Amino acid sequence: MYGTQSKRDLALELRSQIPILRPSIHARRANLTVKFQDLYGFTVEGNVDDVNVLNEVREKVRRQGRVWWALEASKGANWYLQPSISENQSLKASLKLSALANAVTLKRLIRKGIPPVLRPKVWFSLSGAAKKKSTVPESYYNDLTKAVEGKVTPATRQIDHDLPRTFPGHPWLDTPEGHAALRRVLVGYSFRDSDVGYCQGLNYVAALLLLVMKTEEDAFWMLAVLLENVLVNDCYTTNLSGCHVEQRVFKDLLSKQCPRIAAHLEALDFDVSLVATEWFLCLFSKSLPSETTLRVWDVLFYEGAKVLFHVALAMFKMKEEELLLTHHVGDVINILQRTTHHLFDPDELLTVAFDKIGSMTTNTIFKQRKKQEPAVMAELDQRLRRLNSIKLDDK
């Protein structure tokens, strides 16, 4: 959705070539900060070491692309749609070995990254967005956007307020055309699901989906499947109850998977939700470089919301020794922000997330959520009572 059709085709062609970044000789000699555009049009600041890392990553992407294309040539264009094995599904005697092999191969390939040029169709198919779209009339999205045009609600007012603050300076998103497309997606969804309406954070998620998907309508359906099927319920509702549950679950997992860090942060009186809330609401889109974020989303759309916990834990794990030396809350925040903003190697992040963090199944996360829900609801109820009491006192 990056610009016009011809521009988008050109962008796809450029992405498939995956250019090598070459900082000037003066920058190389002085090790100065350099600016460059990533594959999705974002301006990135980094030093020459960061550029070298990105070039190595892009070489891996090229090699990975050749693997995907070879599979498409040998197994067919939609080979990844063969029956897969979920973590909760027992292996039946009737299950074909080829289907099992495809599932294992696919999971491994997705963790290594989906080639940018294939990402739109693979996401759309594997996430369930294509199936969701097929259950409604073909004109659903166009009819929806026309029906809500001109209507004003608290959600639309907040969306209009957030549009210019969503990735300012991006060459397409921060244009009238980009704002209009993002507005249609967000407003359309706010009417599709009035319980969610609009929540700050969704603007960044939807914006990145627009840059990846081939059409605005596909971006809408990716947002729909994300909120309705992939993520936990009530993450983006008015009281953010689902998000509060996720934060409690994350804090509990941090104490189990990274006990030294958790104990040290508790001694500093540091609440992990200070950084993790934005990670979970924006799905890392505001924190990580876009190419790294999309590698996380590759796995998220296939393996589900447990991926968010793996990645968030990995952020802390990667800087464990440095974090253990901190004495102030501000130092913790600075280390985590510096780490995330310069995490140009998604393989490093995902290796820690899946190989150095203990195993967590979807069922494990589900049980943790159920355990935390009563406390969250009681806390939110108490907060509501307190607010109502203040309102009565003001009358």
Side-chain angles (χ1 to χ4, degrees), residues 10-293:
L10 178 59
L12 289 174
E13 181 181 343
L14 290 174
R15 289 177 204 167
S16 66
Q17 294 173 3
I18 311 190
I20 295 294
L21 302 170
R22 293 185 174 87
S24 71
I25 188 168
H26 301 292
R28 291 199 299 273
R29 285 176 176 169
N31 200 29
L32 299 175
T33 298
V34 292
K35 289 186 178 181
F36 48 89
Q37 274 198 347
D38 68 11
L39 294 181
Y40 292 91
F42 292 97
T43 299
V44 179
E45 288 190 13
N47 56 36
V48 177
D49 288 338
D50 294 328
V51 173
N52 290 335
V53 168
L54 262 176
N55 283 332
E56 290 173 8
V57 169
R58 290 181 179 183
E59 177 56 35
K60 291 179 184 176
V61 171
R62 276 189 287 273
R63 292 199 299 267
Q64 185 72 353
R66 289 194 286 271
V67 173
W68 278 81
W69 289 119
L71 282 166
E72 294 233 334
S74 63
K75 295 189 176 185
N78 296 318
W79 68 271
Y80 46 82
L81 294 181
Q82 297 298 319
S84 60
I85 311 301
S86 73
E87 61 192 18
N88 296 320
Q89 183 179 357
S90 61
L91 295 178
K92 298 180 180 179
S94 60
L95 185 64
K96 292 182 179 178
L97 184 60
S98 60
L100 175 58
N102 272 350
V104 173
T105 299
L106 184 57
K107 184 175 182 178
R108 184 173 65 249
L109 281 175
I110 288 176
R111 287 189 178 185
K112 288 184 177 180
I114 301 171
V117 72
L118 291 177
R119 188 168 273 144
K121 76 165 190 169
V122 175
W123 277 11
F124 203 65
S125 299
L126 291 180
S127 67
K131 183 177 180 181
K132 186 176 287 288
K133 180 183 177 182
S134 71
T135 63
V136 298
E138 192 173 333
S139 61
Y140 177 92
Y141 180 68
N142 286 333
D143 293 343
L144 176 63
T145 55
K146 288 177 183 177
V148 304
E149 190 174 353
K151 292 188 176 181
V152 178
T153 66
T156 64
R157 284 193 288 267
Q158 186 62 54
I159 290 168
D160 289 333
H161 182 68
D162 288 346
L163 288 176
R165 304 192 300 177
T166 307
F167 297 127
H170 187 276
W172 182 73
L173 288 171
D174 196 13
T175 65
E177 182 187 0
H179 287 172
L182 180 57
R183 188 182 193 278
R184 284 190 294 270
V185 170
L186 291 172
V187 170
Y189 193 80
S190 75
F191 280 90
R192 173 180 168 87
D193 188 343
S194 57
D195 289 336
V196 170
Y198 170 73
C199 174
Q200 287 178 305
L202 290 179
N203 50 322
Y204 295 99
V205 174
L208 207 46
L209 287 172
L210 278 168
L211 293 181
V212 174
M213 303 308 294
K214 289 183 177 180
T215 69
E216 178 184 311
E217 184 176 2
D218 284 355
F220 170 84
W221 286 112
M222 287 300 300
L223 183 65
V225 81
L226 188 64
L227 299 182
E228 296 165 17
N229 300 94
V230 178
L231 301 178
V232 66
N233 291 336
D234 301 329
C235 247
Y236 295 94
T237 50
T238 305
N239 64 4
L240 297 177
S241 60
C243 182
H244 289 298
V245 170
E246 298 294 76
Q247 292 307 302
R248 281 176 172 263
V249 172
F250 177 63
K251 186 176 181 180
D252 190 50
L253 290 171
L254 185 67
S255 66
K256 292 176 180 176
Q257 305 290 353
C258 307
R260 294 171 66 212
I261 296 176
H264 181 71
L265 296 180
E266 188 173 350
L268 293 179
D269 200 23
F270 177 78
D271 186 349
V272 294
S273 66
L274 285 173
V275 292
T277 298
E278 182 181 277
W279 293 352
F280 279 72
L281 282 177
C282 299
L283 307 182
F284 304 106
S285 60
K286 277 190 70 180
S287 309
L288 294 171
S290 69
E291 294 179 47
T292 304
T293 299

Side-chain angles (χ1 to χ4, degrees), residues 295-332:
R295 283 286 303 278
V296 172
W297 288 16
D298 286 346
V299 192
L300 173 67
F301 284 124
Y302 186 59
E303 297 188 37
K306 69 170 186 175
V307 170
L308 300 179
F309 295 98
H310 276 278
V311 172
L313 289 169
M315 305 280 210
F316 283 91
K317 187 69 175 176
M318 291 171 72
K319 291 297 175 179
E320 180 169 10
E321 299 307 320
E322 195 172 342
L323 288 169
L324 291 175
L325 296 175
T326 56
H327 299 287
H328 304 285
V329 168
D331 296 334
V332 176

